[in-house]
Amino acid sequence: MLRTITLKRSFVRSYSIEPSSKVISSLKNPDLFKTKGYVNGAWISGSSQFEVNNPALYNSEGGKIAEVDSFDVEHYETAVNAASDAFKSFKSTTGRYRSEILLNLYRLMLENKEDLAKLIVLENGKPYNDALGEVTYAASFFQWFSEEAPRVPSDIIQSSNQGNRILSIRQPIGVCGILTPWNFPAAMITRKLGAAVSVGCTTVIKPASETPLSALALAHLSELAGFPKGVVNVLPSHNSSIIGKFMCEHPKIKKISFTGSTNVGKILMTQSSSTLKKLSMELGGNAPFIVFDDADVDKAVDGAITSKFRSSGQTCVCANRIFVHESIYDEFQAKFVAKLASTVKIGYGLTEGITHGPVIHSKSMQKVRQHIEDATSKGAKILFGGSKLPDIGENFHELTVLGDVTTDMLISKEETFGPVAPLIKFSSDEEVLQMANDTDVGLAGYFYSSNVARIFRVAEELEVGMMGVNTGAISEAALPFGGVKESGFGREGSKYGVEDYTVIKGIVMNVQ
Ligand code: SIN
């Protein structure tokens, strides 16, 4: 199919669109395309099926990617039992062995990276280059945790009793329930699965119903990598709330790791209280991005574009409020808009040269529209974009910059999770810190300054779990990823990532 699309701002683009089924049939490794569930080393059928749609081609010809099997609590019960049985032997395997299977999986992901990226583009909509970046990022968690696996630390602590020695050992917590979102269909699984497996835990994974295909492809690769049966179980389902509750209340599941919204995180936490489960929660943010008067403005413009518009604004660490000092506001806004105008190409992710894709579905689009309309009704000005792009598809929206935004607007208070950048003027450090921290959540934050004293002061004062100083790109396997306040708790990735999947056992040994 070849479409020619005329966009506002007078650029015309020829646009080639392959139906999803054609992309699937072009995979170099067709075995990566799975629509069944993976339980105890076997591919099983569910009780019904649900459609997975390409957000770029939603409601158009070729938009349906697959009918995927949907699994209910009975299947999950089987998977939890399989993971629990597998744990009996997997927990005692050596770190070196687990390191090897993780490294196998890392290599397999890289060998299949083009196909995995195509699956991500189809189900998530992000451009192919971003999807390739996600595959590399996702695989890097297996590499990272393969390096951690043989080094999980234990301690000997001095006892206050002369005849005793105290040993503290870290043991795998048991079966882990992994609940993941659609915005990183591969990386949000690998960040959790890599850590869990590195210490000897087994897993039951429920991927987002929008993006189950990457998860199933990973299950297939885990089999090739030599993971024992029952260590990785992946069951797509369109009954997210029922399955979430089942996992949180199941006595054999010892830990839940969830990435998603703060609202859902709170529900899962309540449900988990019945079994006092260990939890890791990586929840919503409202990231401040501050440009001080001593910043390198060009560098800050690049950082703001990277941070705000990564995945069309659909990451938990995207800048949500861009605060710019009044003395450089005009310069920043002019450069920000000029850079966007000269670099952005919105469209279908498999088309050459596309920089930004659609939002995931109509609910996301509604929020984007609500934030723009609320802000403009209260005096914000549209400096760039501002409109939907129905000629490309129902889920496409222009990257948008709003000027003269104030703190009473919805966009200052809530995470947009979409491609809208609000610019807010400030005049002093005290004022901007107060505005930046005036939110219930605290995942990521960013600021640009060349003054070392200010850098330390602001880094210490901002209430967030992660921070980019003079950079808008913070994500990598080595970063302790997680938030404060209502952005959740627990740290994923980094040397701390294994902690959440282990419990400490203290052993007092009398040696006299
Ligand atoms: C997220 O959006 O939850 C994760 C983003 C990242 O890992 O960079």
Side-chain angles (χ1 to χ4, degrees), residues 194-401:
V197 167
S198 74
V199 296
C201 292
T202 57
T203 61
V204 178
I205 301 170
K206 189 209 158 289
S209 52
E210 292 87 347
T211 57
L213 300 173
S214 302
L216 295 171
L218 287 176
H220 169 64
L221 294 181
S222 75
E223 193 175 7
L224 299 186
F227 281 52
K229 287 180 182 168
V231 171
V232 176
N233 301 279
V234 181
L235 298 93
S237 178
H238 66 277
N239 290 323
S240 297
S241 53
I242 293 173
I243 299 304
K245 182 170 186 297
F246 174 82
M247 297 244 259
C248 289
E249 291 179 349
H250 203 295
K252 285 190 184 168
I253 294 186
K254 301 299 177 197
K255 182 207 162 66
I256 293 284
S257 180
F258 170 69
T259 295
S261 72
T262 295
N263 282 346
V264 174
K266 286 180 181 176
I267 294 169
L268 298 177
M269 194 167 169
T270 306
Q271 291 166 346
S272 297
S273 69
S274 60
T275 50
L276 285 179
K277 256 185 224 354
K278 189 160 173 164
L279 298 169
S280 306
M281 294 276 164
E282 195 253 282
L283 308 176
N286 182 4
F289 186 107
I290 306 172
V291 189
F292 287 102
D293 53 0
D294 57 0
D296 176 333
V297 174
D298 294 312
K299 210 172 153 188
V301 164
D302 289 346
I305 291 174
T306 304
S307 167
K308 173 64 245 183
F309 294 116
R310 178 174 172 223
S311 294
S312 296
Q314 300 173 105
T315 89
C316 296
V317 292
C318 278
N320 201 56
R321 298 166 293 158
I322 303 181
F323 298 102
V324 187
H325 191 269
E326 58 188 5
S327 66
I328 51 162
Y329 184 88
D330 290 344
E331 181 191 355
F332 180 88
Q333 107 175 14
K335 288 183 168 170
F336 192 44
V337 166
K339 191 79 183 242
L340 288 171
S342 64
T343 55
V344 170
K345 285 198 171 62
I346 300 175
Y348 182 38
L350 290 171
T351 305
E352 186 75 30
I354 289 302
T355 57
H356 294 82
V359 296
I360 190 82
H361 43 41
S362 58
K363 240 172 98 188
S364 298
M365 180 63 87
Q366 276 161 22
K367 190 154 198 198
V368 166
R369 294 306 313 159
Q370 187 197 20
H371 279 189
I372 294 175
E373 280 154 23
D374 172 78
T376 49
S377 74
K378 292 176 180 152
K381 293 194 179 58
I382 295 178
L383 304 176
F384 185 74
S387 303
K388 291 169 77 166
L389 293 169
D391 290 351
I392 310 184
E394 276 182 42
N395 294 327
F396 286 92
H397 197 283
E398 288 180 301
L399 302 197
T400 296
V401 182

Side-chain angles (χ1 to χ4, degrees), residues 3-318:
R3 286 190 194 163
T4 299
I5 304 216
T6 309
L7 294 176
K8 284 191 199 161
R9 294 173 215 302
S10 65
F11 51 99
V12 176
R13 188 180 311 133
S14 282
Y15 194 77
S16 106
I17 298 171
E18 288 191 316
S20 305
S21 55
K22 204 163 162 211
V23 179
I24 298 289
S25 56
S26 76
L27 296 180
K28 284 187 270 181
N29 181 356
D31 288 345
L32 290 170
F33 178 63
K34 301 281 188 205
T35 57
K36 304 283 179 204
Y38 185 68
V39 174
N40 205 20
W43 292 95
I44 64 161
S45 299
S47 35
S48 58
Q49 292 193 313
F50 63 100
E51 264 187 31
V52 179
N53 284 294
N54 183 330
L57 303 184
Y58 186 67
N59 261 351
S60 12
E61 204 188 321
K64 183 166 124 184
I65 311 169
E67 296 268 349
V68 169
D69 280 40
S70 182
F71 294 87
D72 294 326
V73 291
E74 308 88 70
H75 304 105
Y76 268 83
E77 183 67 42
T78 309
V80 172
N81 286 329
S84 177
D85 288 345
F87 181 65
K88 289 178 191 142
S89 50
F90 195 61
K91 68 179 181 188
S92 315
T93 54
T94 62
R96 182 55 59 198
Y97 163 77
R98 296 191 298 272
S99 171
E100 274 160 22
I101 57 173
L102 282 165
L103 210 49
N104 291 344
L105 189 46
Y106 163 68
R107 292 197 179 113
L108 282 164
M109 280 192 78
L110 294 187
E111 277 164 30
N112 289 281
K113 69 175 181 211
E114 286 88 5
D115 283 348
L116 292 170
K118 280 187 183 174
L119 288 176
I120 291 175
V121 176
L122 286 186
E123 59 183 358
N124 169 280
K126 66 179 72 173
Y128 182 68
N129 279 340
D130 286 9
L132 265 184
E134 179 180 343
V135 177
T136 312
Y137 177 45
S140 76
F141 289 104
F142 290 140
Q143 181 190 37
W144 178 271
F145 285 111
S146 79
E147 290 153 355
E148 293 296 301
R151 301 197 169 82
V152 176
S154 297
D155 261 337
I156 298 182
I157 305 167
Q158 288 188 46
S159 167
S160 32
N161 183 333
Q162 207 185 18
N164 287 351
R165 301 291 180 272
I166 299 176
L167 282 62
S168 134
I169 59 169
R170 277 191 181 273
Q171 294 188 299
I173 189 163
V175 179
C176 299
I178 291 180
L179 303 165
T180 55
W182 48 261
N183 63 342
F184 287 87
M188 293 306 96
I189 293 178
T190 61
R191 184 151 78 192
K192 300 174 193 305
L193 177 62
V197 167
S198 74
V199 296
C201 292
T202 57
T203 61
V204 178
I205 301 170
K206 189 209 158 289
S209 52
E210 292 87 347
T211 57
L213 300 173
S214 302
L216 295 171
L218 287 176
H220 169 64
L221 294 181
S222 75
E223 193 175 7
L224 299 186
F227 281 52
K229 287 180 182 168
V231 171
V232 176
N233 301 279
V234 181
L235 298 93
S237 178
H238 66 277
N239 290 323
S240 297
S241 53
I242 293 173
I243 299 304
K245 182 170 186 297
F246 174 82
M247 297 244 259
C248 289
E249 291 179 349
H250 203 295
K252 285 190 184 168
I253 294 186
K254 301 299 177 197
K255 182 207 162 66
I256 293 284
S257 180
F258 170 69
T259 295
S261 72
T262 295
N263 282 346
V264 174
K266 286 180 181 176
I267 294 169
L268 298 177
M269 194 167 169
T270 306
Q271 291 166 346
S272 297
S273 69
S274 60
T275 50
L276 285 179
K277 256 185 224 354
K278 189 160 173 164
L279 298 169
S280 306
M281 294 276 164
E282 195 253 282
L283 308 176
N286 182 4
F289 186 107
I290 306 172
V291 189
F292 287 102
D293 53 0
D294 57 0
D296 176 333
V297 174
D298 294 312
K299 210 172 153 188
V301 164
D302 289 346
I305 291 174
T306 304
S307 167
K308 173 64 245 183
F309 294 116
R310 178 174 172 223
S311 294
S312 296
Q314 300 173 105
T315 89
C316 296
V317 292
C318 278

Side-chain angles (χ1 to χ4, degrees), residues 143 404 447 462 485 512:
Q143 181 190 37
D404 296 338
F447 67 92
L462 273 184
K485 300 179 16 184
Q512 280 184 333

